[in-house]
Amino acid sequence: MKLFQKLIAAPAIISLASGLAVNAAEINSTDLSDYSNSNNLVSLGDFKSDTLFPGDWAYDSLKDLTNSPKFNGNSVTRLEAAAELSNLIAGGEGLMNGAAIGRLSDELGSELAIMKGRVDGLEARVNGLEAGSFSETTTMSGEVGFLLGGTDSATKANDVVQFEYALGIDLDTSFTGEDNLNIGIVTGNGLTNVGADKTGLDWGESESDALVVNDLNYTFPVGAWKVAVGDSMDASKTWPNACSMNNMVDNLGDCGAANSVDLSGNVSLSAATGFGDGWELGLGISGIAGKTDTTSTGLFTKEGTDLFGLALGYEADTFGFTVAYSDKDTANYYGLVAYYSPEELPTTFSGGVEVGNPDSGEDTTQWAFGISTDVGEGTLSANIGTNGPIKDNAEEIYAYDLSYEYPLNDSMSITPFVYISETTGTNVDTTGAGAFVSFSF
């Protein structure tokens, strides 16, 4: 048999030898005698020891052929020797020493077969893991946060130190390279006291420790437009938004324009397109948009809460702005948000204003303004604004917050904060303070 043929046939010979060795306990002495004359079996006399020593012909032969540091005068196991032989054959160097490689393959045949079995088993396990994992076009990202804080307010029963947590996971899958299917999953135990909705901290999830799918949408291109459709999705998902405030109090969020620029929604369609140099136009519509609406209410019915809106934005190197209009079934809103980041300062100024025109009752106004600047390795942020929409003839109340976000590493940060949230009908404002740690993955 020629050398090349022998190298090709070696795995089959080794597998046969291994199979007979594994089942040796089931073979009687007569069968063993018959098989012992076969050239396909490794001689039992070759297995004198599990270890090769200097002076053994296989040890010295591998030392000469491989120049491996393993053969430095110390003994090696037969499996270690088989690994060096396997590397030698795989690299093609053994083709120049056919006789020696052939003899070593016979000598270490069982060990080579064991190694092959281990590799095959590992490949099977890896294939099994891959079969149960995400597709190659699916990515997962998430964030976990832990908050420790308390309040001092008019309701003394609420003035306790609390521990809250929040978890958010996003699964994103692309099918064409230009689209994205997004699934959002959240849980938490927040939105109480220090994290109270609207007047408290803009942080946390109120899911009572239950995992909830809070977003399910699909984004895809249609010509020059980016279009998104989905459930539990804002109608403004694809819109331009020039708000850059890093607020703590919920009512200061979205630069005070949460009803227009950051138009909410449920079962929604959102679309945006860019034009000119830095300009962008956004359109959105949503049915079943109210908190009490259900799928049985129907889309765009008299019983349901529907909304639509549009936004126009412009962004340059150091500044940007967005204007928006929305019709939320019972009120119309007009909003403006903007930011400015001077090139000579590591600082961003941002704010906004929103006017509401309800179908009945007085008009409302809401505004917010904030500044964020680099201090040391972290970011210091200070914000002020009305504590929600204020009716034209009503008492104006405000919210203030101060925070410092410090990066612990690329995926962790800690943010101590303090805020004051004014309330109507009492001389005691709500003051909150604490810190939260965020983990991104």
Side-chain angles (χ1 to χ4, degrees):
M1 181 180 295
K2 294 182 178 180
L3 171 61
F4 185 70
Q5 293 173 321
K6 187 170 184 177
L7 290 177
I8 294 176
I13 296 171
I14 292 168
S15 297
L16 177 59
S18 177
L20 293 174
V22 169
N23 294 286
E26 303 175 8
I27 301 174
N28 59 39
S29 59
T30 302
D31 294 331
L32 183 60
S33 177
D34 292 339
Y35 279 112
S36 65
N37 295 322
S38 172
N39 291 329
N40 292 334
L41 293 177
V42 178
S43 172
L44 295 176
D46 289 338
F47 295 93
K48 297 177 180 178
S49 171
D50 291 334
T51 306
L52 297 180
F53 297 92
D56 292 343
W57 74 266
Y59 183 101
D60 294 340
S61 181
L62 284 169
K63 179 180 179 180
D64 294 338
L65 291 172
T66 64
N67 293 319
S68 170
K70 280 190 174 294
F71 304 99
N72 58 0
N74 295 323
S75 61
V76 296
T77 66
R78 294 179 66 89
L79 280 175
E80 289 175 327
E84 295 295 334
L85 176 59
S86 179
N87 292 336
L88 188 67
I89 296 174
E93 293 90 341
L95 294 176
M96 301 300 295
N97 300 276
I101 294 297
R103 188 180 178 195
L104 285 167
S105 296
D106 290 340
E107 170 71 20
L108 301 172
S110 292
E111 285 75 18
L112 288 170
I114 291 172
M115 291 177 57
K116 182 178 184 300
R118 290 180 178 176
V119 171
D120 290 346
L122 180 59
E123 289 179 348
R125 292 176 64 185
V126 170
N127 290 337
L129 288 172
E130 290 179 346
S133 64
F134 299 131
S135 71
E136 293 182 355
T137 59
T138 299
T139 60
M140 183 188 80
S141 60
E143 185 171 4
V144 174
F146 299 101
L147 179 146
L148 186 67
T151 58
D152 180 17
S153 67
T155 308
K156 296 304 178 184
N158 292 340
D159 295 342
V160 294
V161 176
Q162 290 184 307
F163 176 82
E164 300 179 3
Y165 81 93
L167 165 67
I169 295 174
D170 277 303
L171 301 176
D172 294 287
T173 303
S174 178
F175 301 94
T176 67
E178 297 180 342
D179 62 343
N180 183 63
L181 174 65
N182 170 253
I183 302 173
I185 303 172
V186 298
T187 188
N189 65 345
L191 300 187
T192 58
N193 298 1
V194 68
D197 193 22
K198 301 301 182 182
T199 59
L201 198 67
D202 186 6
W203 191 94
E205 301 289 345
S206 59
E207 307 302 341
S208 301
D209 303 322
L211 283 173
V212 175
V213 176
N214 75 323
D215 207 350
L216 181 62
N217 59 79
Y218 181 59
T219 304
F220 56 95
V222 178
W225 289 80
K226 179 171 69 173
V227 180
V229 294
D231 187 87
S232 302
M233 187 190 85
D234 290 346
S236 59
K237 177 177 175 62
T238 63
W239 289 10
N241 190 337
C243 178
S244 294
M245 282 182 60
N246 185 24
N247 62 288
M248 293 292 108
V249 176
D250 198 6
N251 270 332
L252 300 180
D254 306 306
C255 292
N259 294 299
S260 54
V261 176
D262 192 28
L263 184 60
S264 60
N266 190 352
V267 179
S268 306
L269 182 147
S270 181
T273 184
F275 64 94
D277 186 10
W279 291 93
E280 189 172 3
L281 174 67
L283 305 173
I285 188 169
S286 182
I288 318 181
K291 291 184 177 180
T292 60
D293 290 348
T294 64
T295 53
S296 62
T297 306
L299 292 170
F300 310 111
T301 62
K302 181 179 180 181
E303 293 76 15
T305 302
D306 311 315
L307 53 85
F308 69 88
L310 58 88
L312 177 67
Y314 176 79
E315 190 166 357
D317 292 337
T318 59
F319 72 93
F321 67 86
T322 304
V323 293
Y325 164 80
S326 70
D327 183 332
K328 299 190 71 172
D329 220 18
T330 59
N332 300 326
Y333 294 90
Y334 305 85
L336 166 67
V337 300
Y339 76 89
Y340 173 57
S341 299
E343 293 182 354
E344 60 274 11
L345 294 174
T347 303
T348 297
F349 304 91
S350 187
V353 61
E354 182 179 80
V355 176
N357 301 127
D359 293 343
S360 61
E362 299 179 53
D363 292 349
T364 62
T365 302
Q366 183 174 0
W367 62 267
F369 176 79
I371 178 173
S372 296
T373 186
D374 293 343
V375 177
E377 296 183 12
T379 301
L380 179 67
S381 299
N383 304 280
I384 183 176
T386 56
N387 200 4
I390 308 296
K391 292 182 179 180
D392 284 350
N393 296 315
E395 173 191 1
E396 290 192 358
I397 56 174
Y398 300 94
Y400 318 83
D401 66 49
L402 181 69
S403 65
Y404 181 70
E405 181 179 6
Y406 181 80
L408 300 174
N409 53 49
D410 291 341
S411 301
M412 295 175 57
S413 65
I414 183 170
T415 304
F417 63 86
V418 61
Y419 68 82
I420 298 174
S421 183
E422 295 181 350
T423 57
T424 58
T426 176
N427 293 325
V428 180
D429 299 328
T430 297
T431 301
F436 56 86
V437 179
S438 299
F439 304 80
S440 299
F441 57 91

